């Protein structure tokens, strides 16, 4: 089966996904009977749409030059269509929302996803805002429209922490969550241990495509808070907002703090956690993001670079820990691919 994809956003993640689609095309067709064309790309600066499919190598070459408008003309190519037109076009089968995350009102991604479901288009989002702010509404829209809604990439990039919790641990109750869910801050703290200045380490994380467009979201802990809110929503059904998270970032951690910890056989890590707490009326969920000084024997102390890790503490089989890449174009692009294959498994026949 061939799917026609419209991509909103074509930054590191969009490009990472497009490259995977190109490189794995034969394997995906052979193993899963899955084929896909990118028929539209819509960004803040460019709009490309062709129902016959856009040429991925040419898209990637233009994106490398930071100028999608450099994509060469070909038959049936349109450059004048807005996002709404692309999303709702009869040829579009699925929309990939990979534009910049906005934790304030989730727009314009939220509107794109609403539009897609109201026109019966499947959606895969790696944009965290809509899941953090409006998951309940969007999931209901998807069910009503009988559409697939994929969001594996919103926490831990392509490392499948959401699928593990929702499917692999179905039947177990997750009592608590603890992990490293922001790649940028983990990368910066690791580089500071090696003696690199904070600003230089942050610039390197930006160059690698780990950081948010405004890296304040990473270093002040907002991104980790957004992700822990997402996990509270998805795993606990809790109604938390980013403002409910007891949040501290890494900007107060100095080079000497990092070096002193290292000399004492310890490491600073930005830890995000969820804990259920009994109350008179039932229970509440406590959410926290804060730097912690961990002994090297703590498994989370061993997570290096842009890596992430999460431990789900269950009532049934104790702790289950998943580690893997948490940020970057290829890793998060893989989450889009994994979601599309899940869509294909469910709706492909
Ligand atoms: N800025 C995020 C991080 C990207 O560093 O983890 C992945 O969500």
């Amino acid at each position: 089966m061939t799917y026609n994809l419209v991509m909103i956003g074509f930054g590191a993640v969009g490009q990472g996904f497009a490259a995977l689609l190109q490189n794995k095309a034969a394997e995906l067709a052979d193993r899963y009977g899955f084929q896909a064309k990118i028929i539209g790309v819509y960004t803040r600066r460019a709009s490309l749409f062709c129902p016959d499919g856009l040429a991925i190598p040419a898209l990637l070459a233009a994106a490398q030059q930071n100028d999608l408008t450099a994509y060469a003309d070909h038959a049936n190519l349109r450059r004048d269509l807005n996002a709404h037109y692309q999303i709702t076009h009869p040829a579009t089968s699925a929309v990939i929302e990979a534009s910049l995350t906005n934790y304030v009102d989730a727009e314009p991604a939220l509107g794109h996803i609403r539009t897609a479901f109201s026109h019966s288009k499947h959606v895969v989002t790696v944009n965290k805002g809509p899941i953090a702010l409006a998951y309940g509404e969007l999931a209901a829209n998807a069910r009503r429209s009988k559409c697939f809604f994929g969001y594996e990439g919103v926490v831990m990039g392509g490392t499948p922490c959401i699928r593990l919790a929702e499917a692999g641990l179905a039947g177990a109750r997750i009592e608590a969550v603890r992990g490293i869910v922001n790649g940028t801050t983990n990368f910066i703290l690791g580089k500071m241990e090696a003696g690199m200045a904070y600003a230089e380490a942050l610039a390197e994380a930006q160059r690698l495509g780990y950081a948010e467009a405004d890296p304040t979201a990473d270093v002040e802990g907002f991104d980790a808070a957004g992700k822990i809110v997402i996990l509270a929503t998805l795993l606990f059904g809790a109604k938390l907002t980013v403002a409910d998270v007891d949040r501290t970032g890494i900007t107060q951690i100095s080079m000497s703090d990092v070096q002193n910890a290292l000399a004492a056989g310890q490491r600073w890590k930005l830890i995000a956690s969820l804990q259920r707490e009994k109350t008179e009326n039932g229970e509440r969920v406590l959410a926290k993001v804060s730097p912690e000084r961990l002994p090297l024997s703590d498994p989370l102390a061993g997570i290096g670079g842009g890596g992430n890790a999460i431990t789900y503490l269950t009532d049934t089989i104790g702790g289950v820990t998943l580690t893997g890449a948490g940020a970057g174009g290829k890793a998060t692009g893989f989450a889009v691919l994994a979601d599309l294959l899940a869509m294909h498994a469910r709706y492909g026949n």
Side-chain angles (χ1 to χ4, degrees), residues 128 154 181-184 210-212 218 223 227 308 326-327:
K128 296 163 270 194
V154 297
V181 295
N182 181 268
T184 301
Y210 295 165
E212 297 300 295
D218 296 293
D223 181 69
K227 288 167 173 164
N308 280 187

Side-chain angles (χ1 to χ4, degrees), residues 6 13 30 34 88 152 161 189 192 260 262 288 291 313 319 330:
V6 162
V13 176
D30 279 359
F34 173 91
T88 59
E152 182 60 68
C161 68
L189 291 170
M192 285 171 76
N260 289 343
L262 210 55
K288 186 171 178 187
L313 193 63
K330 188 172 181 185

Side-chain angles (χ1 to χ4, degrees), residues 153-236:
V154 297
V155 186
M156 285 182 80
T159 306
C161 68
I162 295 174
R163 209 158 270 126
L164 169 66
E166 290 184 341
L169 293 174
R173 177 178 151 97
I174 297 175
E175 303 286 1
V177 174
R178 176 178 158 83
I180 295 171
V181 295
N182 181 268
T184 301
T185 46
N186 202 58
F187 180 85
I188 292 173
L189 291 170
K191 287 291 180 194
M192 285 171 76
E193 282 179 6
M196 189 186 275
Y198 169 87
E200 204 183 326
L202 172 56
E204 179 77 355
Q206 289 177 297
R207 197 185 57 73
L208 289 167
Y210 295 165
E212 297 300 295
D214 176 357
T216 311
D218 296 293
V219 297
E220 294 292 2
F222 289 106
D223 181 69
K227 288 167 173 164
I228 211 69
V229 164
I230 289 172
L231 292 177
T233 307
L234 298 177
L235 313 187
F236 294 178

Side-chain angles (χ1 to χ4, degrees), residues 9 13 19 38 43 50 56 79 85 123 150 156 158 173 175 191 205 212 249-250 278 284 315 323 338:
V13 176
I38 298 174
T43 71
C50 177
I56 293 178
R79 299 177 186 273
Y85 186 101
V123 172
M156 285 182 80
R173 177 178 151 97
E175 303 286 1
K191 287 291 180 194
E212 297 300 295
I250 65 160
K278 289 213 184 323
R284 64 180 184 146
D315 64 339
T323 69

Side-chain angles (χ1 to χ4, degrees), residues 224-267:
K227 288 167 173 164
I228 211 69
V229 164
I230 289 172
L231 292 177
T233 307
L234 298 177
L235 313 187
F236 294 178
K239 289 189 170 47
L240 294 185
T241 68
V242 172
D244 297 321
V245 180
D246 175 2
R247 173 190 53 79
T248 310
I250 65 160
T251 49
Q252 300 306 315
I253 309 276
S254 66
M255 181 65 100
S256 56
D257 291 332
V258 170
Q259 297 296 335
N260 289 343
L262 210 55
Q266 294 177 327
R267 269 196 177 126

